[in-house]
Structure formats: structure tokens, C-alpha cells
Amino acid sequence: MDIEKRLSDDAKRIADIQPPANLRSRLCASLEGVKVLTGHVAHRWLKPAMAVLTAAMLTVALLPGRGPTPVLDLPSGADASPETALTEDYRGVDDAGVAKNTAASQGNEEANGVVLAAPLENPPWERVGAFSGLAALTGALWFYEFGRRRQLALALIVPTLVLILGNLWLLRNLIF
Amino acid sequence: MDSLKRVARAKAGDKQALLDLVLAREREFYGLSYVYMRNEQDAADALQDMIVILYTRIHTLKKDESFYSWANQILVRCCLTKLRRNKRWQLIPEGYEEATEHSGEAGLDLLNAVHKLPGAQRDVILLFYYSDKTFEEISEIQSCPVGTVKSRLHQGLKKLKGWLGDGYREKT
């Protein structure tokens, strides 16, 4: 007998099998056990909340404020200013040429009172704290949303990356 | 009530409307579930899983008229998930033909043989022969072109012929 005919016959045999009598009650019981109404109704607030929190995180991270700007160690004279210090330095280069330039590269910046790559004196810890808090809150919502869909890798990796990269950005002058 | 209205009500969270939609094609759903699970208990369990997923995900259904093909798709996925959990996947053993020659339940053996096929070919054969779906419906369920469905059916039948031989049913 041809295989297609056999399959058709077998399908007829299967079609004769009746569903169990209690199928309706079992399906009812399954539906009654579902607490969540529907995704878009129950979690209507989730996406706007995540959008607001993300905007707040970006504001904290990117807006200028008392940010991570390096502090110049200016000369102690009364009329000293960054412009003065830099002008003197450039004049030195003009007058003494290569020799002066070499001397400057050997550490004479401090003698002139100018530190070109000054360390960060006041890291923006408040902004780091605010950013981390917002990132943790957004991450919790993100984890709730994607964890519910069983996309655990996405639920864990994205919030962690945002937290790390954001803090690296805020503390870039301290770290690098 | 019209099925489209029921779908709309189910989308609004009406459990009874969803239950009515499923029960309207109870035998079709159960038959499809049965050919995957091959026992009554698991077939009913898969249907229960399906109705929960239908209820929680029905808001993602874009075309209301596609409700039943979407439900079939979900039922197939529920069955496959359940099969994976039950660890019933087995490679076709050596000397399969000889073993089936002495088996008393020819129909179940045929269904078992279909389940030894690669997943895509098995699904096409189950949907085409056992669930009476058209090529277009299968292509929608499997999200692939109709030509691919036909090709998978042809390859699956070829393998079945190789495994079972033409005189299979007569010998049993």
C-alpha cells in the first residue's frame, strides 16, 4: 500500500478519537488560574515608567553641572590666572625654543604652576549615586518585563551594561 | 455569536469568549495535539497550556480573522515544548523496520515513524495528513513559503518509504 494512503487511513483512525469528557472543565480551570488579565492592560504603566527613568538617567549622565572637569593648579600670585600661566609658558617656548620645550616636558610644568593633566579633585559622587539608583530602578523594571518573557540573558545583560557604562562615563576623568 | 466578535471580546479579556472559540474547534485542536503527544493525557495538557498562552498573548494578535491559524501555531509550539520536557525524542534505532514488522499496532507505529523524521518534515506531514491543513495554512503556521512546505512533505514521505517499505501494512 502506498505510504500516502497509509497516512490518510491512519489520520482517519486518529480523527475517531474523542476528546476527553472533562476537557471543557480542564480548560475552564486553566483559564481561572490565570491571574494576569492581558499583557497590555496589566502592564500599561511599565513602558512609560521605563521611558521616564531612562530620560532621567540620560539627564543625570549628560547634562553639564558640577561635572568631572579637571582642576588646574594655578600660580599662587595675586594676578595669576590660567591665561597668564599659559601665556608665560608659550612665551617661554618662543624665547628658548626647543631647549625650553624639552625642559617643560621634563616636569617643569609644576615649577610654572600649571598642571596640564591634573587629577580629578571632586568626583561627581552625587551624580554617580543618582545615576546608579535610577539605573537600578530601570533595571528592575527591565528585568520584570523581559524576565517574565523568559528572556533572562537580555533581562540581565542590558541593565548591567547600562550601569557599568554610565558610571564609566561619569568617572571617565578619574579612571582614564 | 460570530467568531470575529468572540475574538474581539477575548482580546478585551473575556475568558468565556476565548473558551467558546477553542471549544468550537475542540476536536480539531485535540486531534492535532494528540498526533504530537501520542497519548490522551499529554494531549489534554498541551491544550491547557495553549489556552493559557492564548489568553495572555491574544493582545498581540494583529488580524482577528487569523485567530485559528495563530492558535494552531501556539498549540504546535506547546506540544513541542512538552515533548522536549518529556525527553521523548529518540533517534531511529538500527533495525527499525524489523521491529515494526512484528508490532501489533500498525497505526501507532506509523505515527511513531513520522515522529522519527526531522522536525520540519514531521510537522508538515502531521499537519497535512493528520490535521487536514492546506499547504497555505501550513506555510502560515510554519512561517515559510508554500514551496518549502511541499519540498519538506516530499522529503518526509521519501524517508518514510525508505524506513517502512511499501509492504509494511500488509505484513502487519
Side-chain angles (χ1 to χ4, degrees), chain A residues 33 42 47 70 75 87 176:
Chain A
K47 284 177 183 170
T87 309
F176 301 110

Side-chain angles (χ1 to χ4, degrees), chain A residues 1-2 6, chain B residues 101 161 164-172:
Chain A
M1 192 188 293
D2 185 63
R6 287 185 218 163
Chain B
E101 278 177 13
K161 277 178 192 169
L164 300 173
D166 283 338
Y168 165 72
R169 178 62 70 85
E170 285 79 0
K171 284 178 186 174
T172 59

Side-chain angles (χ1 to χ4, degrees), chain B residues 81-100:
Chain B
T81 306
K82 208 161 184 59
L83 282 172
R84 271 196 296 272
R85 283 187 192 152
N86 292 350
K87 296 181 179 175
R88 287 184 181 169
W89 292 112
Q90 293 170 356
L91 293 173
I92 187 159
E94 290 290 330
Y96 181 83
E97 295 88 337
E98 289 81 0
T100 52

Side-chain angles (χ1 to χ4, degrees), chain B residues 1-170:
Chain B
M1 191 193 296
D2 181 32
S3 65
L4 285 179
K5 284 181 184 170
R6 281 197 182 122
V7 173
R9 285 182 58 188
K11 274 185 164 180
D14 187 339
K15 290 178 178 178
Q16 187 58 46
L18 181 64
L19 190 63
D20 290 343
L21 280 167
V22 173
L23 289 174
R25 296 202 184 177
E26 178 187 18
R27 286 190 67 166
E28 182 189 330
F29 283 128
Y30 183 76
L32 180 58
S33 182
Y34 184 86
V35 294
Y36 272 94
M37 304 311 300
R38 287 172 285 169
N39 73 71
E40 293 180 2
Q41 183 64 37
D42 285 347
D45 286 349
L47 273 181
Q48 284 184 278
D49 292 348
M50 177 200 74
I51 202 164
V52 170
I53 294 175
L54 288 182
Y55 184 65
T56 53
R57 304 297 300 163
I58 196 166
H59 64 279
T60 62
L61 178 66
K62 287 172 185 165
K63 293 179 185 172
D64 288 2
E65 59 272 19
S66 303
F67 172 80
Y68 281 111
S69 63
W70 176 67
N72 275 322
Q73 204 173 358
I74 287 177
L75 179 58
V76 169
R77 286 181 190 168
C78 287
C79 291
L80 294 178
T81 306
K82 208 161 184 59
L83 282 172
R84 271 196 296 272
R85 283 187 192 152
N86 292 350
K87 296 181 179 175
R88 287 184 181 169
W89 292 112
Q90 293 170 356
L91 293 173
I92 187 159
E94 290 290 330
Y96 181 83
E97 295 88 337
E98 289 81 0
T100 52
E101 278 177 13
H102 304 291
S103 171
E105 291 187 51
L108 193 59
D109 283 339
L110 184 58
L111 193 54
N112 286 339
V114 173
H115 274 263
K116 308 292 181 195
L117 291 168
Q121 295 169 14
R122 175 206 58 209
D123 290 347
V124 171
I125 288 179
L126 290 179
L127 290 168
F128 187 77
Y129 286 103
Y130 288 88
S131 196
D132 279 337
K133 297 277 182 278
T134 63
F135 285 127
E136 286 74 21
E137 287 171 324
I138 298 171
S139 75
E140 200 174 337
I141 290 171
Q142 292 201 322
S143 306
C144 66
V146 172
T148 308
V149 173
K150 289 180 179 174
S151 163
R152 286 172 180 170
L153 182 68
H154 175 73
Q155 288 166 4
L157 289 175
K158 197 175 168 185
K159 277 186 189 169
L160 278 179
K161 277 178 192 169
W163 289 344
L164 300 173
D166 283 338
Y168 165 72
R169 178 62 70 85
E170 285 79 0

Side-chain angles (χ1 to χ4, degrees), chain A residues 16-103:
Chain A
D16 289 339
I17 297 173
Q18 292 291 326
N22 64 346
L23 185 63
R24 186 188 178 94
S25 59
R26 287 179 69 172
L27 294 178
C28 277
S30 297
L31 273 181
E32 281 169 12
V34 185
K35 300 290 182 194
V36 180
L37 189 59
T38 50
H40 71 303
V41 174
H43 305 294
R44 194 178 281 165
W45 52 272
L46 197 66
K47 284 177 183 170
M50 284 171 67
V52 169
L53 286 170
T54 307
M57 279 165 56
L58 287 172
T59 307
V60 170
L62 298 178
L63 273 192
R66 198 175 60 78
T69 49
V71 179
L72 295 176
D73 186 10
L74 298 176
S76 55
D79 59 345
S81 68
E83 290 79 9
T84 313
L86 288 172
T87 309
E88 285 172 359
D89 189 49
Y90 280 118
R91 191 169 60 238
V93 172
D94 287 342
D95 294 341
V98 177
K100 174 76 176 176
N101 198 17
T102 308

